[in-house]
Amino acid sequence: FLPSHLCQDNDCRERFKREAQAAAKLNHPNIVTIHDVSEHQGRPFFAMEHVEGKSLRDLLKDRELDLDLILDLAMQVCEGLSKAHQTGITHRDVKPSNIVVDKEGRPKLLDFGLAAIKGTEQLTKTGSTLGTVGYMSPEQIQGKEVDHRSDLFSLGVMLYEMTTGHAPFKGETEATTINSVLNDIPEPMSRFKSGVSDDLQRIVSKLLEKDPSLRYQSAAGVVSDLKRLTPGVGSGPEKPRKDWWNRIVVPAAVIVLIAMIGLWYWQFQPDGDSGGIKSLVVLPFENLGAEEDEYFADGMTDEITARLAGFGGLRVISRTSAVHYKGSGKPLKVIARELKVDYVLEGTIRWDKSGDTDRVRIIPQLIRASDDSHVWANTFERALTQVFVVQADIATRIAEALDVTLLESEKQLLAAKPTDNLEAYDYYLRGKEYWEQGKNSSRSIEMFEKAVALDSTFYAAYAWLPRVYGYEYINDIRMTEERREQAKDAAEKAFRLASGKPDGHLALGYYHYYFSRDYDRALELFEQALQGQPNNSELLVAIAYVQRRKGNWDAAVANLRRALRLNPFSQSDVDGLTRTLILLHRIEEAEEVVDNSLEFSPDNAGLLFWKAALVFYSGRDSSEVRAALREYTQLAPPSMAPFLLELSDIFWRDYQTALTRRTVPTRPTSGDSVKFYTQKGQIYRLMGDSGTSRAYYDSARVICEERVRTDPEVALFHADLAQVYAGIGQKHRAVQEGQLAAELLPVSKDELQGPNILESLAEVYIVVGKYDLAIDQLDYLLSHPSRVQIEGLRKHPIYDPLRDHPRFRALLAKYE
């Protein structure tokens, strides 16, 4: 049966029935037969043959299979896949638990529920990354279009696992497993099982090629090669079989030997959680120069970190997390253990301006964390004009010391010199410092604009501008056509000047993400940039944010977890993952993320904010919520505390206190002013003071109407205006504006912001008395990723008009 919660989604119902009907047309001895596709009491279902036997997963758990049997099973599975592929069906979830082996030893493929049918439209509601992590192909994990070759990759994973008893790609978390699939080359199978021929290794390696064009192009080709490999092994049900259910007995001596080898392998693995890849953190270099040169030392540390992060053979912790240890006095072993790294790079920097020529002296030291031993150290003293050469030299020496082989593309990136103008470079470092010290967008933009004014070819400085412009644009600090044009100009220059380097792809990706909303192009550009900066946690977050808007939520969560592993002390990364899990209504997982981060930062105001919010969302006692709020607000910055306190006051109907929380915004025509006036209007409406409420809403109306007139294509502006019209009693115009906002930004176009527009529309419907329409929206939002949570519906007074509505009560019961 299609799960009950999906039965209301017409796209899911359509896809379920369509794919089941397509699978029902398959007639092959190695595919489970589907007999009927229908509906019962409004729930689509399909009925399939009953197969007596065991899943291949259970067989692999029970005993070690010999090679002849493994190859026989693999060929039959391949023949089943070949039949499906010829019919135009890609399975998309080939794995041992989806293969049942009957009493005759015949494997049968089942569960074509994730199948994609060639020649039919893609239904976005289910996403494009459905499958099981560890068996998914790289293109499937990345949310790209997949075809039958994706199944062949999954077959390769399964054949490797059947042969060796080990997964070719593995990690302790979903995120690390995904990273392994995308980047790791599996160990040779002969390491785990004797008798594996070079030909079998070649077949499996070809199946596991990351690039689909380098894989086998058909299942028939795999069958052909397997048959040549084992001429004595047949492939059909007519072949006489032995009773192999109990015939494989592994001698105790072999078990002991395997255990001893496993123990040896475990003991001699490198420290940390890097899956065999060496891991490193670059701690902030100590500034030995003047105090005002601190930004320069931090900038040099950042640049060296960035160059090392471009090496695919290293896992490099983000500078944002490394800064957490600046001046902490913690022993290196403790730092390494907390960050799960094998090596620590530390050092000193002095910028000497006393002579005719500015000089820089850098003394880096590479230390093995397990025994505090110095692996490598050196002194670099050069003229400031040679600073880029020094950065590249240090990165190269560290790669050599760690025995990391650099690809030719990595060497080319190392040799890149972003500018010859040292004054421009100084502004560039200052711009990054302003940004990384607290998102000071105005000062950061000022520095980057000065840098490119001094050097019109400085692609790295151009590359920063679209992301900072975009931050102001999307946060409604400067949502103007002028800002959009500035971002486009900077992005195109960065892309042109960078000549294929990651900086250019990153810049243009941010433009398409923030401004043009071309999410397919943004994702493509970010993924290209990631190839040159595999340790860039910011890029992983950017990819995840695009995936959220495209509705690829599981892939987004995986990338956010992977980013947090590289940047465990990043407040913004914790925010992103926590907010995403809340939108998915996965409150317990969100609490786990926050609790893990609080272990290292128990006084972090941002984490305590989430702790307070999650206590509320979990439906716990209100006294516990208020205690968490008090703890947070004692530490929260003045700009954040009033917002949460005001919201909590409204929830507990302490309206007089809520009115005291916010002050008048400094920018009278901004989105902040709209929020200020509409929130005050809402509070007075809830208090029953309609006259004062209308006055506040009318103040917001003046701003909103001007914003809509200036830029009529922005859905948010229309949604705000709808709220305002509802507040002043213009019901018809309120509904018109709210529905127009939903048309301008439907969920199908943006699965992150689209639901916010529908939430606003639901509130408009409540205010104007269209309760059934409001409940329709709320029902949809509770069944999809959105900010609407069941606890909010129960407690927020804005929903009071719905309390006695039978459909609203049924809605609460449905989603409890």
Side-chain angles (χ1 to χ4, degrees):
F1 280 90
L2 183 67
S4 298
H5 69 281
L6 296 178
C7 288
Q8 305 306 313
D9 187 322
N10 289 332
D11 285 350
C12 287
R13 292 166 62 91
E14 177 63 23
R15 182 169 186 153
F16 179 93
K17 290 189 289 186
R18 186 184 64 195
E19 293 177 2
Q21 288 164 352
K25 297 176 183 178
L26 298 174
N27 181 17
H28 192 272
N30 297 119
I31 297 176
V32 171
T33 303
I34 293 178
H35 294 299
D36 188 25
V37 181
S38 188
E39 281 194 12
H40 175 70
Q41 295 181 350
R43 291 185 64 188
F45 75 91
F46 66 85
M48 60 184 176
E49 69 171 314
H50 173 69
V51 181
E52 291 187 7
K54 286 187 175 183
S55 75
L56 182 56
R57 167 62 64 208
D58 289 336
L59 289 180
L60 293 174
K61 287 180 181 177
D62 291 344
R63 58 188 56 83
E64 181 183 356
L65 308 183
D66 65 33
L67 278 174
D68 283 348
L69 178 58
I70 289 168
L71 295 175
D72 189 10
L73 292 171
M75 279 191 286
Q76 291 191 69
V77 170
C78 241
E79 288 172 347
L81 285 175
S82 181
K83 175 66 174 180
H85 294 168
Q86 290 168 15
T87 315
I89 297 178
T90 302
H91 189 286
R92 291 169 69 97
D93 201 22
V94 176
K95 58 183 178 182
S97 58
N98 274 341
I99 294 168
V100 61
V101 182
D102 66 19
K103 290 295 187 181
E104 299 300 318
R106 179 194 294 110
K108 287 176 171 281
L109 277 158
L110 56 97
D111 195 355
F112 279 81
L114 300 180
I117 303 159
K118 186 176 181 181
T120 59
E121 75 275 15
Q122 179 79 26
L123 294 181
T124 60
K125 286 292 194 301
T126 53
S128 57
T129 57
L130 291 172
T132 303
V133 172
Y135 295 92
M136 292 164 66
S137 65
E139 62 269 27
Q140 192 175 5
I141 281 177
Q142 293 171 323
K144 297 179 179 177
E145 185 176 354
V146 301
D147 56 25
H148 62 279
R149 294 172 296 181
S150 180
D151 284 350
L152 300 183
F153 183 95
S154 303
L155 176 70
V157 174
M158 196 175 70
L159 184 51
Y160 185 105
E161 184 179 1
M162 291 166 64
T163 305
T164 67
H166 293 74
F169 310 106
K170 55 190 175 183
E172 291 187 1
T173 66
E174 183 178 276
T176 55
T177 303
I178 286 174
N179 182 54
S180 182
V181 172
L182 294 176
N183 299 304
D184 292 352
I185 303 299
E187 295 281 351
M189 293 192 296
S190 58
R191 176 175 180 176
F192 304 108
K193 187 178 182 70
S194 60
V196 176
S197 67
D198 291 342
D199 286 338
L200 177 56
Q201 178 66 65
R202 178 185 57 78
I203 291 171
V204 173
S205 296
K206 188 172 180 179
L207 285 166
L208 295 178
E209 285 283 355
K210 311 290 187 192
D211 185 348
S213 66
L214 300 178
R215 267 177 235 150
Y216 284 95
Q217 299 301 293
S218 71
V222 184
V223 173
S224 177
D225 279 2
L226 287 173
K227 282 183 176 178
R228 281 197 292 269
L229 183 63
T230 55
V233 177
S235 60
E238 69 284 356
K239 177 181 178 287
R241 297 182 183 276
K242 300 175 182 178
D243 179 17
W244 50 269
W245 288 88
N246 298 302
R247 69 183 173 86
I248 301 173
V249 180
V250 182
V254 174
I255 296 175
V256 172
L257 179 61
I258 292 173
M260 291 175 64
I261 293 172
L263 179 61
W264 175 86
Y265 180 72
W266 174 78
Q267 286 178 328
F268 288 93
Q269 282 299 295
D271 295 333
D273 182 24
S274 53
I277 297 178
K278 293 183 177 71
S279 51
L280 172 76
V281 60
V282 182
L283 295 181
F285 281 25
E286 182 183 358
N287 173 38
L288 300 181
E291 186 176 347
E292 62 266 21
D293 295 339
E294 189 74 20
Y295 78 93
F296 181 81
D298 289 342
M300 287 296 101
T301 308
D302 192 22
E303 294 294 296
I304 292 169
T305 303
R307 289 177 182 266
L308 289 167
F311 299 165
L314 273 180
R315 181 173 72 88
V316 181
I317 296 296
S318 169
R319 178 180 177 267
T320 308
S321 289
V323 168
H324 181 81
Y325 294 97
K326 187 172 183 177
S328 69
K330 282 190 176 183
L332 294 184
K333 277 191 175 182
V334 174
I335 295 173
R337 184 171 65 249
E338 290 182 355
L339 294 175
K340 299 181 181 179
V341 296
D342 309 308
Y343 298 91
V344 176
L345 180 67
E346 61 177 5
T348 61
I349 293 180
R350 179 187 292 276
W351 183 5
D352 185 359
K353 309 172 189 175
S354 59
D356 294 334
T357 303
D358 286 7
R359 301 187 67 79
V360 177
R361 187 178 194 184
I362 305 177
I363 305 178
Q365 301 177 81
L366 182 64
I367 300 166
R368 185 184 294 111
S370 58
D371 56 8
D372 267 347
S373 62
H374 281 64
V375 178
W376 169 83
N378 209 333
T379 299
F380 298 84
E381 186 168 357
R382 305 277 183 88
L384 185 60
T385 53
Q386 296 296 306
V387 68
F388 303 117
V389 176
V390 173
Q391 294 167 4
D393 201 2
I394 292 173
T396 303
R397 300 287 186 88
I398 290 171
E400 292 171 351
L402 297 180
D403 197 26
V404 173
T405 302
L406 299 185
L407 303 175
E408 188 58 37
S409 59
E410 293 170 342
K411 293 178 182 177
Q412 291 174 2
L413 284 175
L414 268 183
K417 185 178 181 181
T419 182
D420 291 317
N421 189 312
L422 294 179
E423 186 180 359
Y425 186 65
D426 186 67
Y427 280 126
Y428 168 77
L429 293 181
R430 290 179 187 272
K432 291 177 69 175
E433 189 74 5
Y434 280 122
W435 180 254
E436 290 163 0
Q437 290 298 322
K439 297 288 190 294
N440 188 337
S441 57
S442 60
R443 291 289 285 154
S444 183
I445 288 171
E446 179 187 354
M447 295 297 107
F448 291 132
E449 287 180 344
K450 285 184 176 180
V452 296
L454 288 168
D455 181 359
S456 60
T457 66
F458 195 174
Y459 63 83
Y462 275 120
W464 268 89
L465 283 168
R467 80 181 79 173
V468 187
Y469 287 153
Y471 170 83
E472 290 197 338
Y473 189 84
I474 206 164
N475 285 288
D476 202 6
I477 298 171
R478 197 157 299 162
M479 191 181 280
T480 64
E481 181 64 28
E482 178 190 16
R483 186 58 94 207
R484 186 159 40 202
E485 288 302 315
Q486 288 174 322
K488 182 179 182 182
D489 180 63
E492 290 176 345
K493 285 178 178 176
F495 189 76
R496 184 177 68 255
L497 293 167
S499 301
K501 298 180 183 67
D503 307 71
H505 291 98
L506 187 64
L508 199 54
Y510 273 116
Y511 169 74
H512 285 299
Y513 176 75
Y514 284 126
F515 297 95
S516 75
R517 292 183 180 270
D518 184 347
Y519 298 131
D520 290 331
R521 179 62 173 147
L523 185 60
E524 178 187 354
L525 288 160
F526 287 147
E527 287 175 342
Q528 289 173 344
L530 190 65
Q531 293 175 13
Q533 296 181 348
N535 290 284
N536 189 329
S537 62
E538 183 190 357
L539 259 174
L540 289 168
V541 171
I543 289 171
Y545 283 3
V546 177
Q547 289 168 329
R548 291 192 313 186
R549 292 180 184 271
K550 288 170 62 64
N552 297 337
W553 291 94
D554 288 341
V557 169
N559 277 316
L560 287 169
R561 290 190 184 279
R562 182 180 168 197
L564 198 56
R565 183 167 173 260
L566 289 168
N567 199 6
F569 291 107
S570 167
Q571 179 65 55
S572 62
D573 289 2
V574 172
D575 290 349
L577 178 56
T578 303
R579 185 177 286 109
T580 301
L581 291 170
I582 291 173
L583 293 173
L584 290 167
H585 313 290
R586 288 154 60 174
I587 304 302
E588 289 183 3
E589 285 184 60
E591 285 190 288
E592 184 180 353
V593 170
V594 174
D595 287 341
N596 289 341
S597 297
L598 278 170
E599 287 183 18
F600 296 102
S601 305
D603 297 328
N604 183 290
L607 294 175
L608 291 171
F609 168 89
W610 285 118
K611 188 68 176 175
L614 289 165
V615 168
F616 170 77
Y617 284 136
S618 65
R620 280 176 240 164
D621 184 76
S622 60
S623 62
E624 189 176 353
V625 179
R626 293 202 160 191
L629 284 170
R630 282 195 298 272
E631 186 178 7
Y632 160 71
T633 51
Q634 288 173 2
L635 296 166
S639 61
M640 294 173 65
F643 165 75
L644 186 60
L645 287 172
E646 179 188 58
L647 189 60
S648 66
D649 293 335
I650 293 172
F651 270 108
W652 283 289
R653 302 166 193 267
D654 186 358
Y655 300 132
Q656 290 294 346
T657 304
L659 290 171
T660 68
R661 297 296 188 187
R662 293 200 198 192
T663 57
V664 179
T666 55
R667 294 179 294 119
T669 60
S670 69
D672 286 342
S673 293
V674 173
K675 292 172 187 173
F676 171 82
Y677 290 126
T678 54
Q679 191 77 336
K680 295 291 186 187
Q682 183 189 82
I683 295 170
Y684 278 110
R685 186 179 74 235
L686 295 172
M687 293 170 65
D689 185 347
S690 59
T692 308
S693 173
R694 284 171 179 261
Y696 274 105
Y697 275 118
D698 199 57
S699 295
R701 176 191 60 79
V702 176
I703 304 171
C704 288
E705 287 180 341
E706 176 61 22
R707 280 152 64 93
V708 165
R709 187 191 64 78
T710 304
D711 201 338
E713 297 301 314
V714 178
L716 173 64
F717 293 171
H718 290 279
D720 286 343
L721 186 56
Q723 294 272 350
V724 167
Y725 283 152
I728 61 177
Q730 296 189 18
K731 297 181 179 181
H732 180 69
R733 296 182 72 182
V735 171
Q736 271 189 325
E737 290 294 329
Q739 292 176 343
L740 176 58
E743 291 172 9
L744 287 171
L745 192 62
V747 175
S748 60
K749 184 176 180 180
D750 186 339
E751 297 212 21
L752 179 69
Q753 291 298 329
N756 296 345
I757 301 296
L758 295 184
E759 180 187 1
S760 176
L761 179 59
E763 293 179 7
V764 168
Y765 284 146
I766 292 171
V767 175
V768 303
K770 295 181 178 293
Y771 299 148
D772 281 304
L773 291 176
I775 293 169
D776 288 342
Q777 299 300 329
L778 295 174
D779 192 1
Y780 177 84
L781 292 168
L782 282 172
S783 67
H784 288 74
S786 75
R787 297 184 307 196
V788 174
Q789 304 287 328
I790 197 72
E791 283 303 309
L793 296 185
R794 289 166 135 193
K795 296 178 179 177
H796 199 297
I798 195 174
Y799 300 111
D800 283 355
L802 303 179
R803 299 281 170 221
D804 296 328
H805 198 296
R807 286 190 61 208
F808 186 72
R809 291 200 299 269
L811 186 71
L812 295 179
K814 175 181 177 181
Y815 289 103
E816 276 198 1

